[in-house]
Amino acid sequence: MNRTDRLYALVEELRAVAPRPRSARWLANRFEVSTRTVERDISALQQSGTPIYAEPGRTGGYCLDKARTLPPVNLTPGEAVAMALALKRLAGTPFRAEAGSALRKLVAAMQQEDAAAAEDLATRVHFLDDAGDLPPIPRVLADALGARRVLRIGYGDRQGAETRREIEPLGYVGKPDHWYLVAWCRLREGIRAFRIDRITSVSVTAEVPPPRPLRREDLDIPYGVVEQLTLAE
């Protein structure tokens, strides 16, 4: 079990028996780690805002305040990433730290598979460091990553010439005034960034494209520092 899974499992174990305590030794045996590892994990959870406290005495241990925690919730990966984007708008305000804490609690409360899918989706959303208020994305393009289908688009270049393309969506990049859809272009046989306001038409095919990684060096944006969205603010 990796550390992320163990932290999640620790919270769920303490939630299941709350308000009764679990000793560090009991938890160490349960997760097959040392008591020192359990103590470090509990400290990390406490620092992230999880309401765990130590109860002293021979029968004491670690307790979770069940009334102040959420059980696993049925948020979709897309909903979690949407909240991450919304909370990011609080950067530079007095509530930046609280926004990061709220986001960590949200992800910790999700089902494990959904949380992992949300983390993967977040790694495919990028924006330039000076991106301000960005325009809305048409629904069919906003759903492109989650739907995992090949798209057929009409695309106009700077001179207005239009081409027809089949693309495999890989990610998004936002910059001032524009969104880009980053995709594998079958016409050009490579990764391209398509300015969304230049996509003149779009249709969703039934074809599921092969999985492709999206690396930072693949982001073909001509200026600015590209920043990746994260669910661990």
Side-chain angles (χ1 to χ4, degrees):
M1 180 182 291
N2 62 41
R3 186 167 189 255
T4 299
D5 290 342
R6 189 173 65 249
L7 290 174
Y8 178 88
L10 275 169
V11 173
E12 290 308 300
E13 176 62 38
L14 293 177
R15 188 199 314 280
V17 298
R20 291 177 291 134
R22 287 293 197 204
S23 69
R25 178 174 295 180
W26 191 97
L27 293 169
N29 290 334
R30 166 68 177 80
F31 296 106
E32 299 179 344
V33 294
S34 68
T35 56
R36 180 166 294 185
T37 295
V38 168
E39 290 166 354
R40 283 198 298 262
D41 288 348
I42 294 293
S43 177
L45 289 167
Q46 289 171 328
Q47 291 175 38
S48 72
T50 306
I52 297 174
Y53 60 93
E55 189 172 284
R58 185 174 60 84
T59 59
Y62 294 109
C63 302
L64 180 74
D65 186 347
K66 197 172 184 177
R68 296 181 58 197
T69 64
L70 290 172
V73 294
N74 294 321
L75 287 178
T76 68
E79 288 170 340
V81 172
M83 294 191 72
L85 279 168
L87 290 172
K88 188 163 186 64
R89 294 299 183 189
L90 294 176
T93 74
F95 300 100
R96 177 181 175 86
E98 287 80 0
S101 175
L103 185 57
R104 288 191 295 272
K105 290 177 182 178
L106 168 69
V107 175
M110 293 175 67
Q111 300 285 352
Q112 284 181 283
E113 289 185 2
D114 288 341
E119 291 280 2
D120 179 69
L121 181 56
T123 66
R124 296 174 180 272
V125 179
H126 301 75
F127 40 87
L128 295 174
D129 57 354
D130 58 351
D133 292 330
L134 293 166
I137 298 178
R139 183 77 261 168
V140 66
L141 295 175
D143 292 340
L145 294 186
R148 293 195 66 249
R149 292 293 187 272
V150 173
L151 302 182
R152 292 194 182 103
I153 65 169
Y155 190 70
D157 64 16
R158 293 179 182 177
Q159 287 71 43
E162 184 173 318
T163 55
R164 306 291 297 179
R165 311 189 187 207
E166 286 192 350
I167 63 173
E168 302 170 15
L170 297 175
Y172 301 107
V173 174
K175 63 175 288 291
D177 305 321
H178 301 296
W179 276 103
Y180 289 87
L181 175 62
V182 182
W184 178 268
C185 177
R186 293 181 172 179
L187 179 65
R188 305 302 186 201
E189 295 186 343
I191 292 178
R192 295 291 186 271
F194 297 94
R195 223 175 84 170
I196 282 180
D197 63 336
R198 290 182 182 161
I199 296 177
T200 57
S201 64
V202 58
S203 62
V204 182
T205 75
E207 182 183 353
V208 178
R212 297 184 189 273
L214 179 61
R215 304 166 301 174
R216 184 173 293 273
E217 55 266 34
D218 293 327
L219 300 174
D220 186 21
I221 305 300
Y223 68 89
V225 178
V226 176
E227 182 180 349
Q228 179 180 296
L229 182 68
T230 175
L231 298 188
E233 286 286 337

